[in-house]
């Protein structure tokens, strides 16, 4: 039995309202029908068997009603459920209130550090209109000021939000990967190179390693002659080549066609990397491992990594696939550079990533107080470091591992809300920081004394994040030099009659 936190009595688990429902619009429609019938929150709550405080949260778009409560509200208000779920605001004032509410929840407003204005019935209509107009102009100017509002960032943001809505879990790819790895002989532990080769053979392909792959490619597949070309192993036994081979296989088993847009290209990339992760850490074995560690209250990404012979980043991202849907744990993930820039991120636990006005997070600076950046200042980096961080969205526990590439240091962070820290190794840490970001007074705004001293005489030159600014060249295969690829295939194709 579940427990209704607002009523403190046992309840039967119920299905929430449809996921596509706009909660702000739904709340305003409920309020409009309620006030139209001269009902107070207390009076309506008494009719449907709930509290006025819960109804207030629902009307303000801060709580999603259960389907049974939605049906009860429709009955008490003498309207159909579809009337409550309609997309359009019930009045012009309600439309303005919704627009103001959305603007004040956005990343642009959060950077101002200003208090929100409650769009109550007492707020005069002219004031409401002015506030909405000012927010609109602020958003317009911020949008114009963005140096690179290219298609890639917008498409990437849409994909990130889509993954978030489904808890980063794709069951059809999980099932497909499980079936193929088992058929190729996988049983337990790390997936071997030989098993990957068998998976390719089952599709009619041979894996070949060459040292002259075109610079713009990671793999090349020869569909005519049944060959998948991979680079030679730079680190014997690493998971990189297995992953590349599996991604090339994924294109075939998923029936991918040539991408027609950058968004199409990114979606294919998400699908093949997800499939590869499912094969390297198959769901049945991975969930069994993680459930046992959860039972022991000893979850650790480093153990998950070592059990399946993959990188810390691969294990961290795979953990986000399974954490919520299979373990019931909301989670966030970050890869952050040593300059504080966010390279990749995922969250369904409420952690507010820094974002520009389009919603893109890539290249944004994360708070200096977050574990992802605090880890760079720690001396012992051989194992994961742990930290609690108090934020405006709540307290989060994080596990962070640092690494180094030719371009600098980076950190990989997996974190959960405070209530879920009990399942993880490192929960006993006494390291705790406080962050008020995106308020710039937290860590971005310089001390007044230093600003007065240096503002007019300092001229720093910013380092560019090329991965954020540059879009892939257009063509049949985005980002690939087709002439170089075709010349490569011509060079390596078997002679007629040789096979």
């Amino acid at each position: 039995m579940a427990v209704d936190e607002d009523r403190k009595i046992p309840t039967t688990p119920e299905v929430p309202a449809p996921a596509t429902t706009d909660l702000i619009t739904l709340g305003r429609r409920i309020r409009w029908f309620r006030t139209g019938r001269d009902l107070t929150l207390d009076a309506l709550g008494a009719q449907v068997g709930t509290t006025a405080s819960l109804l207030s949260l629902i009307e303000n778009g801060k709580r999603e009603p259960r389907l049974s409560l939605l049906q009860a509200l429709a009955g008490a208000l003498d309207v159909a459920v579809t009337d409550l779920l309609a997309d359009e605001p019930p009045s012009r004032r309600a439309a303005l209130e919704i627009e103001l509410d959305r603007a004040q929840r956005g990343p642009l407003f959060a950077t101002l550090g200003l208090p929100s204005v409650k769009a109550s019935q007492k707020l005069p209509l002219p004031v409401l209109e002015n506030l909405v107009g000012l927010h609109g102009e602020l958003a317009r100017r911020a949008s114009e000021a963005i140096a690179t509002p290219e298609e890639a960032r917008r498409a990437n943001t849409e994909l990130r939000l889509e993954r978030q809505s489904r808890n980063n879990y794709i069951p059809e790819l999980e099932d497909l990967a499980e079936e193929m790895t088992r058929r190729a002989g996988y049983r337990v532990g790390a997936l071997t190179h030989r098993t990957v080769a068998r998976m390719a053979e089952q599709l009619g392909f041979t894996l070949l390693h060459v040292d002259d792959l075109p610079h713009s490619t990671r793999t090349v597949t020869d569909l005519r002659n049944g060959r998948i070309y991979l680079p030679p192993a730079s680190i014997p036994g690493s998971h990189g080549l297995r992953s590349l081979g599996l991604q090339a296989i994924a294109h075939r088993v998923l029936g991918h066609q040539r991408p027609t847009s950058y968004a199409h290209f990114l979606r294919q990339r998400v699908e093949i990397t997800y499939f590869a992760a499912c094969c390297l850490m198959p769901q049945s074995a991975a969930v069994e491992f993680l459930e046992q560690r959860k039972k022991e209250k000893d979850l650790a990404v480093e153990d998950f990594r070592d059990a399946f012979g993959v990188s810390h980043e691969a294990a961290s991202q795979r953990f986000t696939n399974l954490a919520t849907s299979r373990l019931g744990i909301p989670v966030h993930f970050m890869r952050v550079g040593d300059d504080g820039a966010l390279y990749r991120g995922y969250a369904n636990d409420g952690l507010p990533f820094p974002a520009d006005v389009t919603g893109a997070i890539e290249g944004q600076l994360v708070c200096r107080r977050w574990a992802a950046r605090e880890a760079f200042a720690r001396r012992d980096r051989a194992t994961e470091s742990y930290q609690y961080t108090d934020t405006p969205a709540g307290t989060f526990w994080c596990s962070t591992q640092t690494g180094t590439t030719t371009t600098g240091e980076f950190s990989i962070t997996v974190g959960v809300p405070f209530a879920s820290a009990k399942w993880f190794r490192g929960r006993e840490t006494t390291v705790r920081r406080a962050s008020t970001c995106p308020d710039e007074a937290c860590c971005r705004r310089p001390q007044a004394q230093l600003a007065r001293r240096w503002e007019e005489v300092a001229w720093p030159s910013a380092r560019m994040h090329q991965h954020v600014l540059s879009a892939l060249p257009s063509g049949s295969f985005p980002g690939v030099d087709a002439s170089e690829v075709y010349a490569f295939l011509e060079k390596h194709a078997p002679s007629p009659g040789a096979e």
Side-chain angles (χ1 to χ4, degrees):
M1 300 287 280
V3 176
D4 187 327
E5 292 298 326
D6 296 285
R7 302 172 66 186
K8 302 299 182 184
I9 59 174
T11 62
T12 301
E14 300 176 79
V15 179
T20 56
T21 300
D22 184 312
L23 295 184
I24 303 175
T25 303
L26 172 62
R28 291 303 191 275
R29 291 188 69 83
I30 292 173
R31 176 186 292 173
W32 189 77
F33 285 117
R34 175 180 64 80
T35 56
R37 284 160 178 73
D38 292 326
L39 288 173
T40 64
L41 287 170
D42 286 323
L44 181 57
Q47 288 190 41
V48 299
T50 191
T51 62
S53 59
L54 175 59
L55 290 180
S56 178
L57 289 172
I58 291 172
E59 289 190 352
N60 285 294
K62 296 180 180 179
R63 180 71 66 86
E64 182 178 5
R66 297 287 182 179
L67 185 57
S68 60
L69 178 56
L70 197 61
Q71 292 169 334
L73 287 169
L77 297 172
D78 194 26
V79 296
V81 172
T82 53
D83 289 330
L84 297 181
L85 294 174
D87 294 332
E88 65 276 3
S91 65
R92 180 173 178 275
R93 181 184 177 88
L96 291 169
E97 291 176 357
I98 292 170
E99 195 170 345
L100 178 61
D101 190 280
R102 285 176 177 157
Q104 293 182 149
R105 293 188 189 191
L108 179 59
F109 180 78
T111 63
L112 302 177
L114 298 174
S116 298
V117 176
K118 185 176 180 181
S120 67
Q121 295 294 321
K122 297 180 180 179
L123 188 67
L125 183 60
V127 175
L128 182 59
E129 291 174 331
N130 273 297
L131 286 173
V132 170
L134 287 171
H135 278 290
E137 178 61 16
L138 187 64
R140 186 190 69 78
R141 295 190 180 192
S143 182
E144 287 184 351
I146 295 177
T148 57
E150 70 281 343
E151 177 190 0
R153 288 171 64 78
R154 296 182 186 277
N156 200 45
T157 299
E158 290 177 5
L159 275 175
R160 177 173 56 83
L161 295 177
E162 180 183 314
R163 288 165 46 218
Q164 178 180 311
S165 70
R166 61 193 304 172
N167 294 322
N168 206 19
Y169 184 73
I170 309 177
E172 55 269 27
L173 294 187
E174 298 281 353
D175 294 341
L176 178 61
E178 188 84 20
E179 176 190 351
M180 291 191 65
T181 53
R182 294 292 178 183
R183 190 152 30 100
Y186 174 81
R187 293 295 178 266
V188 70
L191 191 79
T192 65
H193 287 266
R194 178 59 188 142
T195 303
V196 177
R198 286 198 198 101
M199 293 172 66
E201 289 167 2
Q202 290 173 356
L203 297 173
F205 288 92
T206 301
L207 299 182
L208 297 175
H209 298 276
V210 295
D211 57 8
D212 61 341
L213 272 176
H215 294 295
S216 59
T217 67
R218 301 187 304 163
T219 66
V220 174
T221 300
D222 180 349
L223 299 175
R224 174 181 298 163
N225 298 295
R227 293 178 162 197
I228 296 176
Y229 295 102
L230 303 171
S234 57
I235 304 176
S238 69
H239 93 284
L241 283 185
R242 287 177 289 151
S243 180
L244 287 177
L246 290 165
Q247 289 179 38
I249 290 171
H251 278 303
R252 309 277 60 82
V253 298
L254 298 179
H256 284 169
Q257 302 296 317
R258 295 190 181 192
T260 57
S261 66
Y262 194 85
H264 191 189
F265 166 79
L266 288 178
R267 182 172 297 279
Q268 289 185 354
R269 180 59 61 85
V270 167
E271 290 176 352
I272 64 173
T273 55
Y274 191 104
F275 175 84
C278 291
C279 293
L280 290 167
M281 294 158 274
Q283 180 173 226
S284 58
V287 170
E288 180 181 358
F289 177 89
L290 293 171
E291 284 181 336
Q292 181 60 35
R293 292 308 177 96
K294 182 184 178 186
K295 182 179 180 181
E296 297 168 359
K297 295 187 176 181
D298 194 31
L299 280 171
V301 172
E302 58 187 356
D303 289 354
F304 187 42
R305 170 199 69 198
D306 295 343
F308 290 91
V310 296
S311 70
H312 199 87
E313 182 171 5
S316 298
Q317 295 199 67
R318 180 61 173 144
F319 183 76
T320 68
N321 301 146
L322 303 171
T324 307
S325 294
R326 300 307 304 270
L327 304 178
I329 301 174
V331 65
H332 66 263
F333 159 85
M334 285 182 282
R335 177 180 172 128
V336 174
D338 54 9
D339 58 353
L342 183 59
Y343 280 65
R344 281 187 287 276
Y346 164 80
N348 71 348
D349 61 356
L351 181 72
F353 283 136
D356 63 27
V357 293
T358 71
I361 63 174
E362 293 76 21
Q364 299 296 305
L365 295 179
V366 303
C367 179
R368 295 177 186 274
R369 317 286 185 243
W370 285 11
R373 293 187 68 177
E374 287 278 350
F376 293 120
R378 298 196 173 107
R379 291 184 179 180
D380 182 9
R381 302 194 196 175
T383 61
E384 296 176 302
S385 60
Y386 312 108
Q387 176 179 311
Y388 288 98
T389 308
D390 299 318
T391 78
T395 298
F396 297 87
W397 173 91
C398 295
S399 165
T400 303
Q401 179 73 64
T402 58
T404 304
T405 67
T406 55
T407 58
E409 293 183 302
F410 65 93
S411 67
I412 302 296
T413 298
V414 170
V416 296
F418 180 87
S420 296
K422 61 185 178 182
W423 307 116
F424 291 82
R425 181 187 307 163
R427 60 187 176 277
E428 69 283 351
T429 183
T430 58
V431 178
R432 190 160 188 158
R433 301 288 185 266
S435 166
T436 59
C437 279
D439 181 356
E440 293 189 354
C442 175
C443 64
R444 299 287 299 281
R445 192 175 299 161
Q447 297 179 14
Q449 179 181 356
L450 295 180
R452 286 193 298 269
R453 181 178 180 182
W454 294 105
E455 188 172 19
E456 299 300 327
V457 294
W459 189 277
S461 182
R463 185 167 71 178
M464 302 293 286
H465 298 285
Q466 295 299 334
H467 73 287
V468 175
L469 299 178
S470 59
L472 293 183
S474 59
S476 299
F477 297 98
V480 171
D481 183 340
S483 62
E484 188 180 16
V485 170
Y486 299 153
F488 166 86
L489 288 172
E490 188 68 21
K491 174 183 175 182
H492 287 275
S495 302
E499 293 187 1

